[in-house]
Amino acid sequence: AQKITQTQPGMFVQEKEAVTLDCTYDTSDQSYGLFWYKQPSSGEMIFLIYQGSYDEQNATEGRYSLNFQKARKSANLVISASQLGDSAMYFCAMREGGKVDGNEKLTFGTGTRLTIIP
Amino acid sequence: EADIYQTPRYLVIGTGKKITLECSQTMGHDKMYWYQQDPGMELHLIHYSYGVNSTEKGDLSSESTVSRIRTEHFPLTLESARPSHTSQYLCASQGNNYGYTFGSGTRLTVV
């Protein structure tokens, strides 16, 4: 089974509208972390937002927020007031386990290509 | 300012050549990773290291090799480049907050 599932290969959104990018995850660990990264056409990976499994409140960073629904195992990224510069690939990722010296590789989803239409 | 550096940014090279992709970080992170990514596609882990003299193969089989002689340096080498190696290679390091910091990537084209 996929550990990270992003079901939207591509999305088109009108500028200034809000957009939700879906991410569901699968883990049996109690301690885990969820990340979102943005990858513009230039290729670099830009960290956007992080949510820990024990965080009681949804993470927010400027126009980005993470809609964390633990029971449903979903961690959707919400971008408010979308801008043309938001056009990019977006990857959801998960880190399992809580020990610093353990296996802490991130598992990435397949990504969603977001295109903002003027 | 980038704390993790990859060079070269772009590389076009002939089949059969030996190449080394450089990755250096200034954050003192022990954990470093190499990913291979075709344009617009998912990331595939090809190598990782949890510290000096520690290297492991990732989930995707790769003909490349890596070394970790110094904490800050994690180069990737292809002994004999082939057109199938054409891809983007992303290097990342991982801090205590578990998140990755990525380099800007190397876009490799083998002709």
Side-chain angles (χ1 to χ4, degrees):
Chain A
Q2 293 284 350
K3 286 193 176 257
I4 293 285
T5 302
Q6 294 181 255
T7 58
Q8 306 152 309
M11 289 187 69
F12 291 85
V13 173
Q14 203 74 38
E15 188 180 8
K16 299 181 184 177
E17 290 185 351
V19 57
T20 298
L21 304 181
D22 295 341
C23 173
T24 58
Y25 59 91
D26 182 26
T27 182
S28 56
D29 286 354
Q30 296 301 309
S31 175
Y32 54 90
L34 297 153
F35 303 80
W36 278 92
Y37 288 85
K38 172 184 179 181
Q39 187 179 43
S41 58
S42 52
E44 72 270 27
M45 293 282 281
I46 302 167
F47 166 75
L48 294 178
I49 198 167
Y50 168 76
Q51 179 85 41
S53 58
Y54 292 124
D55 294 341
E56 295 185 352
Q57 294 196 332
N58 288 343
T60 60
E61 290 285 348
R63 292 187 300 113
Y64 304 108
S65 61
L66 200 151
N67 184 1
F68 183 45
Q69 298 188 38
K70 198 169 182 176
R72 297 180 59 187
K73 293 190 175 179
S74 74
N76 298 340
L77 177 70
V78 180
I79 306 174
S80 63
S82 58
Q83 303 170 355
L84 295 179
D86 294 334
S87 295
M89 284 287 288
Y90 289 81
F91 290 94
C92 180
M94 177 174 65
R95 180 269 308 163
E96 295 176 277
K99 293 188 182 299
V100 173
D101 294 329
N103 179 358
E104 295 168 334
K105 300 190 293 295
L106 297 190
T107 302
F108 288 85
T110 53
T112 295
R113 179 173 296 281
L114 176 64
T115 303
I116 306 300
I117 305 167
Chain B
E1 278 187 27
D3 297 312
I4 181 165
Y5 305 90
Q6 285 188 248
T7 56
R9 184 73 176 90
Y10 300 93
L11 179 62
V12 181
I13 201 162
T15 297
K17 299 291 186 182
K18 177 180 178 179
I19 57 171
T20 296
L21 308 184
E22 301 289 348
C23 177
S24 295
Q25 49 98 1
T26 59
M27 298 170 283
H29 291 166
D30 287 326
K31 297 180 176 67
M32 296 187 73
Y33 304 86
W34 275 103
Y35 286 84
Q36 183 176 344
Q37 183 192 29
D38 291 332
M41 303 298 285
E42 61 192 293
L43 285 76
H44 295 285
L45 179 67
I46 52 175
H47 297 284
Y48 62 98
S49 168
Y50 284 170
V52 171
N53 294 325
S54 153
T55 61
E56 300 286 345
K57 289 188 178 296
D59 306 320
L60 180 70
S61 175
S62 174
E63 295 168 343
S64 59
T65 59
V66 292
S67 62
R68 191 86 183 277
I69 299 172
R70 303 197 316 264
T71 298
E72 60 270 22
H73 197 209
F74 190 39
L76 180 145
T77 298
L78 277 166
E79 291 292 333
S80 179
R82 297 190 294 165
S84 61
H85 296 140
T86 295
S87 191
Q88 172 163 254
Y89 293 84
L90 288 161
C91 179
S93 71
Q94 186 175 33
N96 289 335
N97 65 355
Y98 307 124
Y100 284 1
T101 301
F102 282 89
S104 54
T106 294
R107 292 195 178 184
L108 173 66
T109 302
V110 183
V111 297

